[in-house]
């Protein structure tokens, strides 16, 4: 059988009848056909050229940051548009080319297929059931309990293993990464030995050690500080900056506001004069809550709009947070005049976890 | 014999008087010298500005500021705070950005076209500085306030400013209707004055907390990401990060794909 006959036979067996199967270009070599061919070729070629331009721009176009007032800023700022544009044109042109080819050169046939009614007939249903039951019976599996049980064992264990694979990646020990087993309760502010001085260090964007003295801050000021111990290296500092539980907001209240402060029981001596230090980690889900408003004395968390009152032990006054921000006990080191913390937070910082009591 | 003692007595009397006067004089001078050495410079605010300018400033103050800030900068209850100790930096920021004189009480005094001319701003600043003292403006002006190291400025900006003003100075919401403004088009002096004086609810950053060099680096960073300097892709789409970009890519992209699909289907 020739190919045409085979095609026809296939359609017939499937109950498909081709009503119309026109050749898109019945007369060969017309100008319209040539034009359509050129059009498709043009899009594919354009795609190739744009792709080539993308590769060239991706490799050689200046991508390194150039400040706005320096030479070459325009070229730098064109980097993203250029690679986006070239790659975009390359993909788009391929798409348009394929579309055009399909529309112009693939025949648009009209085929009619008989619709079958749903469901097999009763005879088929009865025979297939009998067939399956017969096969099961002839395999003698029901008479061989040892094979049955070992198969159940093997299959069951394999099933368990396949379940454990995706589930296991969801199980994590939250304490595995911490330095000690109470890692969720303690922070890097914890004193590791007797009489240790943990200074409040501000981040300056350099490795220079910048500690805070009371006179450094005006009334109505806030600074973000991290723990620093004498002898800490630049590496230790990077670690402190990366740790989620180390940032602390050091706030100097305005004197008139400081007179209205209400302290929490057990935290009466945690402040130093008008200076109060609260953790930056929100007690709701742990966002950095550092939007300090110096006149309303509110600390706002940008994620879910929880607000804490800096005049009342940072208790929540608005939003979803239910716990106060933990307060860090601070004092001024008599030898050096710098702020130090006199101990760790007395409660866990940040959001809830299973073992949390408060 | 009789005159001798008399004479001597007279001489000694004169000598005693002269010596007494001399001793008094020396003692007084000594006390004066000691006083001037030992007593420290008075800590009160001193008028160092041009007195003509201060008088001019007083005139403007009495016309535009007095009803809310009081005749002696002491403030008026429920209207305006005391201006004693706010300094010229605060006055400069508030008036040159048009926030002051304010139109009405609100959660936050909005920025508007400036009412006072630059000369008037300088005069009122001089008046408030002369009478209340406080933080002063830096000597440099304009581009001289841009630091050398915008990269470090960026680090400092993210530590100290980004929580309210957004990573690229787009601004953001605060509590109860207040907001941290976007930093587009803010002059270098205004940024410096704002950091120093802490206008409205912004915390203050003294020269010891953020050194002048650090402040200038921050200004250099802000200038490098605002006023359209930070949209290499053509449009910053609000500059709010992945949320707006993802949203717009999704909405625009899906709509475009739907449109194309419908177009392809409609042709046949």
């Amino acid at each position: 059988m020739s190919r045409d006959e085979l095609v026809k036979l296939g359609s017939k067996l499937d109950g498909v009848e081709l009503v119309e199967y026109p050749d898109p270009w019945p007369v060969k070599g017309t100008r319209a056909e040539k034009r359509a061919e050129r059009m498709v070729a043009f899009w594919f070629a354009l795609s190739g050229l744009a792709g080539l331009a993308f590769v060239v721009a991706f490799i050689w176009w200046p991508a390194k940051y150039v400040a706005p007032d320096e030479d070459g800023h325009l070229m730098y700022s064109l980097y993203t548009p250029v690679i986006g544009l070239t790659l975009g044109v390359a993909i788009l042109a391929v798409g348009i080319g394929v579309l055009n080819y399909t529309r112009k050169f693939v025949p648009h046939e009209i085929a009619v297929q008989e619709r079958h009614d749903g469901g097999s007939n009763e005879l088929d249903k009865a025979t297939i059931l009998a067939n399956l039951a017969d096969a099961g019976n002839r395999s003698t599996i029901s008479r061989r309990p040892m094979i049955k049980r070992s198969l159940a064992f093997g299959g069951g264990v394999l099933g368990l293993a396949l379940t454990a694979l995706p589930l296991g990646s969801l199980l994590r020990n939250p304490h595995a990464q911490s330095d000690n087993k109470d890692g969720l309760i303690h922070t890097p502010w914890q004193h590791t030995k007797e009489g240790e001085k943990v200074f409040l260090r501000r981040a300056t964007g350099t490795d220079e050690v910048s500690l805070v003295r009371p006179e450094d801050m005006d009334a109505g000021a806030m600074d973000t500080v991290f723990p620093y111990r004498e002898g800490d290296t630049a590496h230790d500092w990077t670690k402190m900056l990366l740790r989620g539980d180390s940032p602390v907001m050091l706030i100097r209240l305005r004197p008139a506001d400081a007179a209205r402060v209400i302290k929490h029981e057990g935290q009466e001596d945690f402040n130093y004069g008008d200076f109060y230090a609260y953790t930056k980690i929100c007690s709701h889900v742990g966002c950095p809550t550092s939007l300090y408003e110096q006149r309303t004395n509110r600390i706002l968390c940008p994620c879910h709009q929880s607000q804490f009152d800096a005049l009342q032990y940072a208790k929540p006054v608005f939003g979803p947070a239910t716990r106060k921000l933990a307060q860090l006990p601070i004092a001024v080191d008599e030898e050096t005049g710098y702020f130090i913390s006199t101990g760790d937070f007395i409660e866990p910082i940040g959001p809830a976890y299973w073992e949390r009591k408060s | 014999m009789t005159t001798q003692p008399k004479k001597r007595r007279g001489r000694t009397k004169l000598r005693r008087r002269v010596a007494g006067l001399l001793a008094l004089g020396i003692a007084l001078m000594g006390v004066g010298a000691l006083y001037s050495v030992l007593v420290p410079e008075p800590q009160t605010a001193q008028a160092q500005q041009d007195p003509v300018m201060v008088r001019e400033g007083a005139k403007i103050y009495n016309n535009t500021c007095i009803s809310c800030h009081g005749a002696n900068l002491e403030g008026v209850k429920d209207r305006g705070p005391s201006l004693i100790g706010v300094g010229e930096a605060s006055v400069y920021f508030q008036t040159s950005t048009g926030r002051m004189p304010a139109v009405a009480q609100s959660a936050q005094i909005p920025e508007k076209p400036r009412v006072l001319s630059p000369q008037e701003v300088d005069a009122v600043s001089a008046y408030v500085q002369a009478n209340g003292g406080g933080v002063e403006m830096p000597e440099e002006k304009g581009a001289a306030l841009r630091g050398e190291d915008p990269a470090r400025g960026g680090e400092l900006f993210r530590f100290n400013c980004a929580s309210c003003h957004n990573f690229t100075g787009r601004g953001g919401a605060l509590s109860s209707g207040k907001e941290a403004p976007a930093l587009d088009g803010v002059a270098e002096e205004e940024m410096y004055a704002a950091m120093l004086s802490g206008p409205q609810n912004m915390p203050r950053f003294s020269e010891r907390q953020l050194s002048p060099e650090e402040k200038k680096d921050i200004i250099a960073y802000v200038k490098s990401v605002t006023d359209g300097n930070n949209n290499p892709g053509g449009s910053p789409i609000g500059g709010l990060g992945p949320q707006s970009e993802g949203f717009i890519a999704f909405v625009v992209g899906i709509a475009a794909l739907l449109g194309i699909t419908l177009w392809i289907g409609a042709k046949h």
Side-chain angles (χ1 to χ4, degrees), chain A residues 112-258:
Chain A
V112 178
Q113 183 171 21
E114 272 177 48
R115 210 184 104 179
H116 299 282
D117 292 328
S120 309
N121 62 42
E122 291 303 314
L123 184 65
D124 282 350
K125 285 183 195 168
T127 48
I128 193 74
L129 279 178
N131 240 323
L132 286 172
D134 181 58
N137 197 29
R138 275 167 199 272
S139 72
T140 65
I141 185 82
S142 56
R143 281 191 290 114
R144 301 189 194 281
M146 194 166 77
I147 291 181
K148 233 185 344 192
R149 281 175 202 154
S150 60
L151 178 66
F153 173 72
V157 171
L158 181 66
L160 274 180
L162 290 179
T163 328
L165 207 62
L167 277 186
S169 63
L170 298 176
L171 299 178
R172 283 187 202 285
N173 177 8
H175 306 285
Q177 295 284 317
S178 49
D179 298 338
N180 52 35
K181 78 180 195 341
D182 296 330
L184 281 174
I185 298 167
H186 295 296
T187 70
W189 294 97
Q190 186 185 22
H191 291 212
T192 50
K193 50 183 181 283
E194 194 66 31
E196 185 184 41
K197 282 179 188 164
V198 182
F199 292 96
L200 277 60
R201 176 177 172 180
R202 67 163 73 92
T204 60
T206 61
D207 285 339
E208 160 212 8
V209 179
S210 173
L211 305 178
V212 189
R213 290 176 195 263
E215 65 265 32
D216 290 352
M217 293 168 68
D218 275 345
M222 189 203 93
D223 212 341
T224 304
V225 290
F226 300 84
Y228 171 78
R229 295 165 174 83
E230 252 173 294
D232 271 7
T233 60
H235 178 69
D236 296 325
W237 176 233
T238 313
K239 244 170 72 184
M240 282 305 165
L241 289 178
L242 289 177
R243 279 194 66 143
D245 50 356
S246 57
V248 157
M249 292 179 285
L250 181 63
I251 292 172
R252 180 174 188 173
L253 299 175
R254 301 185 307 150
D257 295 329

Side-chain angles (χ1 to χ4, degrees), chain A residues 65 68 77 81 202-204 206 215-216 218-223 226 290-296 300 307, chain B residues 152 155-156 159-160 163-164 173-175 178 198 200-206 208-209 214 224 229 232 264 268:
Chain A
Y65 178 75
S77 66
R202 67 163 73 92
T204 60
T206 61
E215 65 265 32
D216 290 352
D218 275 345
M222 189 203 93
D223 212 341
F226 300 84
S290 57
L291 281 67
Y292 170 60
E293 302 176 4
Q294 57 121 340
R295 287 198 174 253
T296 57
L300 172 69
Q307 290 169 29
Chain B
R152 182 175 73 140
E155 290 267 326
L156 290 164
F159 270 117
N160 294 290
S163 53
C164 298
L174 294 174
S175 73
K178 299 186 289 291
Q200 310 208 23
N201 268 298
M202 175 167 160
R204 301 173 63 178
F205 296 92
S206 75
R208 295 178 62 100
Q209 186 178 348
E214 290 175 327
S224 77
N229 280 331
I264 294 171
H268 305 292

